Amino acid sequence: MRNSGVKVPIFIVPHGVNTRTFTPKNKKLPVKNANGKFIFVSVFGFQHRKNPEALLKAYWEEFSSADKVLLIIKTNGYAPKESEKWIRSQIQTYKKRLGIHKKTAPVIMMARRLNPKKLRGIYTRGHAFVLPTRGEGIGLPFLESLASGIPVIATGWGGHMDFLTSKNSFFINYKLRSPVIGMNRKSSISRQFRYLFAEKDQRWAEPDIRSLKRQMRTAYENPHLCKKKGRQGRLDARNLSWDRAGRSLKKAVEKAIRIKK
């Protein structure tokens, strides 16, 4: 904002996460045929910015049915027509368009409302959280994952970089590109929100698919490293409380009042 010429005072007030609600002790979401498998989990709205296309493509191409791996996606649409059935259809059409006919590693996709207990259990069910997002203001699921003791695989750009580090996460390489480039590709299968993200000179991250595959493979082959990063993530999340956010906001308001006077 300062680089864009904003002159009024700017204060950074960090987001928070409830580490008593999101905790490694939460009961894991019951999932069939999950035993003995390395589980990737992902929670996001089914929109272009979240980049479901890259997540699915990387997973399908990197892992086969011979790998002991599972991807669990919790998502949602943004209109009545964007139902679970519609999202499944979009995903299947995309897979065919990619020309992937081999038996790929399994994907469990949920696009229905879950109660809070089950939603919390998605995080603890996973060994790693993965989302090749193109940009985040905050990245609340990343925070919730860390608080749950689960490491994160994420694009190395965006608001989430305020709290993700190499000690609690695996970073995906990227290049800054115009959002319109990806939106105009045939591979785009989710809602785009062009009126928000397709303005002139806007940029966001385009994650590198090869880097995403490499990080997912690294996590899969190193479960002990995932546990180590997860433990660090839990420790880091405990310092990202809502109390901390409240104190920061209070200081910002008080300082703004003094400046006005």
Side-chain angles (χ1 to χ4, degrees):
M1 291 180 74
R2 289 187 178 117
N3 290 343
S4 297
V6 177
K7 300 298 183 182
V8 296
I10 298 171
F11 304 96
I12 297 176
V13 178
H15 208 274
V17 64
N18 190 331
T19 55
R20 291 187 295 273
T21 299
F22 292 91
T23 166
K25 295 180 181 179
N26 285 334
K27 183 179 178 181
K28 297 179 181 180
L29 181 74
V31 175
K32 290 183 179 180
N33 303 318
N35 291 340
K37 292 183 178 178
F38 185 96
I39 299 176
F40 293 103
V41 296
S42 194
V43 179
F44 58 89
F46 199 68
Q47 61 164 296
H48 188 73
R49 179 170 59 86
K50 302 294 184 175
N51 207 1
E53 302 89 351
L55 172 60
L56 290 164
K57 185 175 189 291
Y59 179 75
W60 285 329
E61 293 182 350
E62 183 63 25
F63 300 102
S64 73
S65 57
D67 291 303
K68 294 182 178 180
V69 65
L70 173 66
L71 171 62
I72 299 175
I73 293 175
K74 170 62 182 79
T75 189
N76 62 272
Y78 293 88
K81 77 162 191 173
E82 295 174 358
S83 62
E84 185 170 84
K85 182 179 179 181
W86 179 83
I87 293 173
R88 288 184 187 278
S89 176
Q90 291 292 96
I91 291 173
Q92 288 304 314
T93 300
Y94 175 54
K95 191 174 185 180
K96 291 178 182 178
R97 192 180 300 144
L98 290 174
I100 298 176
H101 303 294
K102 67 176 183 177
K103 191 173 182 181
T104 55
V107 177
I108 294 177
M109 197 281 294
M110 293 173 282
R112 57 192 180 276
R113 185 176 295 277
L114 298 180
N115 66 48
K117 185 177 180 180
K118 288 184 177 180
L119 182 59
R120 295 192 293 268
I122 288 180
Y123 292 107
T124 51
R125 169 54 66 183
H127 296 91
F129 183 97
V130 56
L131 184 64
T133 178
R134 291 181 165 99
E136 298 291 328
I138 299 161
L140 185 56
F142 295 138
L143 273 173
E144 294 172 346
S145 182
L146 293 187
S148 302
I150 306 302
V152 166
I153 302 172
T155 313
W157 184 86
H160 50 280
M161 295 304 292
D162 281 352
F163 51 84
L164 296 188
T165 72
S166 60
K167 292 183 178 181
N168 61 33
S169 302
F170 302 86
F171 291 129
I172 306 163
N173 296 333
Y174 67 92
K175 291 183 179 179
L176 293 180
R177 292 285 186 264
S178 167
V180 175
I181 295 174
M183 291 177 181
N184 289 342
R185 293 194 189 111
K186 291 183 179 179
S187 60
S188 178
I189 61 173
S190 52
R191 184 177 283 259
Q192 296 180 346
F193 293 106
R194 283 178 179 256
Y195 68 95
L196 291 174
F197 305 119
E199 296 294 329
K200 182 181 178 182
D201 296 328
Q202 281 186 300
R203 296 288 183 272
W204 65 15
E206 280 296 335
D208 182 82
I209 291 285
R210 289 172 296 180
S211 178
L212 171 56
K213 290 180 182 179
R214 186 165 57 249
Q215 296 295 36
M216 293 180 77
R217 175 62 65 174
T218 297
Y220 171 70
E221 293 181 348
N222 295 274
H224 292 295
L225 177 59
C226 288
K227 288 181 179 179
K228 181 180 179 181
K229 286 179 179 283
R231 287 193 295 269
Q232 183 61 51
R234 172 66 182 175
L235 292 174
D236 294 340
R238 292 177 68 177
N239 293 321
L240 302 173
S241 68
W242 282 113
D243 286 343
R244 168 177 171 264
R247 288 192 296 269
S248 298
L249 178 59
K250 182 174 181 289
K251 289 180 181 178
V253 172
E254 290 172 345
K255 190 170 183 179
I257 291 172
R258 289 197 298 271
I259 292 173
K260 189 174 181 180
K261 289 179 178 179

